[in-house]
Amino acid sequence: MPQQYQEAAVPAGTAAPDRAAPPDRAARAPRRTGAALTWLTPGLLLLGLGLWGASLPLTDFRTMADYGLLDRLPPVFHASLAVLTAGFLVALRRAGTAPVWPLAYCAGLLVALKAGPAVLYDAVRYPWASKHDAVVTTLLGAGELRPHAALSGNMSAYDQWPGFFTLNAALVRAFGVESTAAYLNWAPIVLGLVLIPVLVLLYRTFTEDWRLVWTAVWIFQLANWVGQDYLAPQGLAYVLHLTVLAVVLRHFVRPGSAGRLRDRTALDPAAATVPPSTTTRQRAVGVLVLSPLILAVNAVHQLTPVMLCVVLAALCLTRRYRNLGLLAVTGLIMLAWDLTMGRPLFLETLGTLKESLGRLTQNSRAGYAGQLTGPGPELAGRAAIAMALAVVLCAGIAVLVRRRLTRSALPLLLASAAPVPLFAVNDYGGEMLFRVYLFGLPGAAFFAAAALLPAAAGARRSHGARVRRRLAAVALPAALLVLTAGFLPAYYGKDAMYYTPPAESALVTRAIDRIPEGGLLLATSGSFPQALHRYDRVEHWWFCEQELPENEKMLADPARYLADRLPPGVTAHVVLTRTQDVYTAGEGLLPPGGFALLRDRLKASPLFRVVEERPYGIVLAYTPPTTTPGGAS
């Protein structure tokens, strides 16, 4: 055949082979690329984890100052995150045929981001986590639940929702350890690993593109700076909540509700078709199967059942998942628990709803004062806001640009947006902002990933599709690196108030052991380790957990302020520690220098005597003035 006819015989849209190259060159190039990816993917994973391991001895956490752990992380740590990100992007190229590598990278990222404190710290991270250890210890010692006992510090709620604590009491017995402190710092890793398959199941319901699934999981981990995955009821309840949601979205589709979504031509190239529909009988059986999980959510945490009911109600807005029976059963289980085991706190909360209802500004603020102070906390607050806005912005772009994917994944969008109106109901102790963000994050991460990834490669050959793929080749790595950079200050910028030297914890334990049963412990806040040691025997007053103007009034004469508010005849001890100093300053509870002023004035007052003083804390006992028979003191 003449040469010109040979060239004309090349199929349209296919480049003519290079005549100067050997006949099998085009075939060998993909094989070489595939071989390179085969060794590069595990190589970068091992290198990234190796660099992370090498960074641990170089992290001087004991000298944390204004910026927490952030400025103590060595350059090799940041290099490890960059290498893991690069390896993940390489692994995404074969996500459909080798999903084990993106899974391994997501697990590696979780370890690199959150396992450092578990390996390094010689004490509990998050001082308030020690109260959960105290609940388990008390439960093991008492051998019973006391949901109606009046315990200060709002500790009765833990006996009213005891599922998490009874589980950990069983684990303490099974592991043969002294307390949950032996494994407490590893909770974020364990819960994160358990959550990965749940997220994959959730995302696979709405997309067939494994690249989108794993990118959404990666973004979820980077954006999950909230810190609710420590050893606490919320972390376990959150996993159970998402498990229920994943099962509902996959197995509760009503017959005839999919419509055009059964047709691939009406779907985004990355979208999955609607799962097979189920009969009324199958969905009724599904409700029975889910009921123990829903009951477990109610036994573990008080707010998560409300979130679950709100999400299921939002799903009823779609014909696809309109299951009033499931919503009714979920609501009845929640109401039954609230009116029995949780009755005391439930009634107390109802009493506060009238005051908090509709106060959007008040309910959406973070913490008691809502005003972070100091370089580290301020940077952490700004980074957290920037992270949330970035994820929401990317998700909004996907909702607008990839409308066919949004149409098929509408239930996930509704489930993520459903918790937002809870801002109008209650502030949940200054934490509603974090909880709404946490429950909306799975869907936001999915749509953010959709904004950064083009439709499946090869699905469309138009010029616009090629441009989008080229933009994604730059936008995706850049976005992942930016989110990584934002995670670090948001998660580690306040670690100076999260880490407490063991000697300080020992000081607190000794101080509380001196207080007789029925005595009173005073401290500026409850955010210090062992604060609730013997909580069932000792009363508590965190006297700075109030508005800043009232605390400024207190500082004028703290000894008289406290003495005037102490019950007559009570044995009261004040414990002031370095952790409290950092916390009250970082959270804006006291003005600059206020903690030192408080300590010095109490120390100088005749109403308080020093029991023990160390560089990291001081213990003072209240010494009420004696009254002579004639009335003089």
Side-chain angles (χ1 to χ4, degrees), residues 69-278:
L69 197 61
L70 182 62
D71 60 354
R72 296 296 182 266
L73 297 170
V76 68
F77 173 82
H78 301 283
S80 73
L81 296 181
V83 170
L84 287 174
T85 303
F88 174 72
L89 293 171
V90 172
L92 276 186
R93 300 183 64 178
R94 295 192 302 147
T97 57
V100 66
W101 289 116
L103 169 61
Y105 271 95
C106 286
L109 177 71
L110 179 66
V111 169
L113 290 178
K114 295 185 176 180
V119 176
L120 292 172
Y121 288 6
D122 50 5
V124 171
R125 185 176 190 254
Y126 296 129
W128 48 87
S130 65
K131 70 180 178 181
H132 300 146
D133 178 59
V135 174
V136 174
T137 300
T138 302
L139 177 60
L140 287 170
E144 63 178 352
L145 297 171
R146 294 161 294 174
H148 301 293
L151 301 173
S152 69
N154 206 25
M155 295 300 287
S156 300
Y158 293 120
D159 278 9
Q160 295 166 26
W161 280 268
F164 173 81
F165 304 103
T166 53
L167 171 63
N168 276 277
L171 291 177
V172 168
R173 288 282 190 248
F175 293 158
V177 296
E178 185 176 347
S179 68
T180 61
Y183 58 83
L184 193 149
N185 283 348
W186 288 98
I189 312 305
V190 174
L191 290 174
L193 291 175
V194 171
L195 198 56
I196 288 177
V198 178
L199 291 172
V200 170
L201 181 65
L202 188 64
Y203 295 149
R204 281 291 288 173
T205 304
F206 299 104
T207 181
E208 294 181 350
D209 187 350
W210 277 105
R211 300 173 311 143
L212 180 52
V213 170
W214 290 116
T215 303
V217 173
W218 191 272
I219 291 176
F220 175 89
Q221 293 188 151
L222 291 176
N224 187 15
W225 50 263
V226 181
Q228 295 296 332
D229 51 2
Y230 68 106
L231 194 75
Q234 176 67 97
L236 176 59
Y238 187 64
V239 173
L240 296 174
H241 165 87
L242 289 183
T243 302
V244 172
L245 179 59
V247 172
V248 169
L249 292 175
R250 291 190 73 88
H251 299 290
F252 278 72
V253 177
R254 293 168 58 87
S257 62
R260 294 179 60 206
L261 297 179
R262 294 284 186 199
D263 183 3
R264 282 231 62 92
T265 60
L267 295 173
D268 184 279
T273 55
V274 177
S277 59
T278 52

Side-chain angles (χ1 to χ4, degrees), residues 255-541:
S257 62
R260 294 179 60 206
L261 297 179
R262 294 284 186 199
D263 183 3
R264 282 231 62 92
T265 60
L267 295 173
D268 184 279
T273 55
V274 177
S277 59
T278 52
T279 63
T280 302
R281 181 176 179 179
Q282 288 172 325
R283 293 194 298 278
V285 171
V287 172
L288 292 177
V289 171
L290 285 179
S291 293
L293 268 181
I294 297 170
L295 180 60
V297 173
N298 282 270
V300 168
H301 196 237
Q302 59 267 43
L303 178 64
T304 305
V306 178
M307 294 288 190
L308 183 58
C309 286
V310 168
V311 168
L312 293 178
L315 291 180
C316 287
L317 298 177
T318 67
R319 185 165 172 259
R320 212 184 313 174
Y321 295 102
R322 189 171 299 147
N323 195 314
L324 298 178
L326 176 62
L327 177 60
V329 168
T330 304
L332 287 173
I333 291 176
M334 179 181 69
L335 191 60
W337 189 280
D338 288 344
L339 292 177
T340 53
M341 285 289 290
R343 181 181 177 86
L345 183 61
F346 177 66
L347 295 179
E348 179 185 332
T349 303
L350 286 180
T352 63
L353 284 182
K354 182 178 179 181
E355 179 183 349
S356 61
L357 195 64
R359 299 175 63 181
L360 296 179
T361 303
Q362 182 77 11
N363 294 345
S364 61
R365 73 177 187 174
Y368 290 97
Q371 182 63 51
L372 299 174
T373 59
E378 289 176 0
L379 178 60
R382 289 194 295 268
I385 293 173
M387 290 277 285
L389 292 177
V391 173
V392 171
L393 177 62
C394 288
I397 291 173
V399 169
L400 295 175
V401 174
R402 301 187 68 170
R403 283 173 290 182
R404 290 194 295 173
L405 178 63
T406 302
R407 189 180 304 117
S408 61
L410 180 62
L412 183 58
L413 180 63
L414 289 174
S416 296
V420 174
L422 291 179
F423 278 135
V425 179
N426 196 275
D427 70 340
Y428 197 66
E431 292 190 9
M432 186 60 76
L433 176 67
F434 302 124
R435 305 305 170 98
V436 169
Y437 174 79
L438 182 66
F439 281 87
L441 184 56
F446 176 83
F447 286 102
L452 297 170
L453 279 170
R460 302 172 72 180
R461 296 182 178 275
S462 67
H463 174 70
R466 288 195 297 271
V467 170
R468 284 192 293 273
R469 282 195 290 272
R470 289 169 184 163
L471 288 175
V474 177
L476 179 60
L480 296 187
L481 289 175
V482 168
L483 289 176
T484 303
F487 173 90
L488 296 178
Y491 193 73
Y492 286 124
K494 298 195 291 184
D495 259 55
M497 68 175 71
Y498 296 161
Y499 168 76
T500 302
E504 181 182 324
S505 299
L507 169 74
V508 175
T509 303
R510 290 193 301 271
I512 298 177
D513 284 340
R514 293 189 191 100
I515 303 175
E517 185 167 343
L520 178 63
L521 170 68
L522 285 76
T524 56
S525 76
S527 293
F528 61 100
Q530 298 298 103
L532 289 156
H533 172 58
R534 295 180 64 220
Y535 70 88
D536 57 333
R537 306 280 188 235
V538 174
E539 298 291 314
H540 309 86
W541 178 19

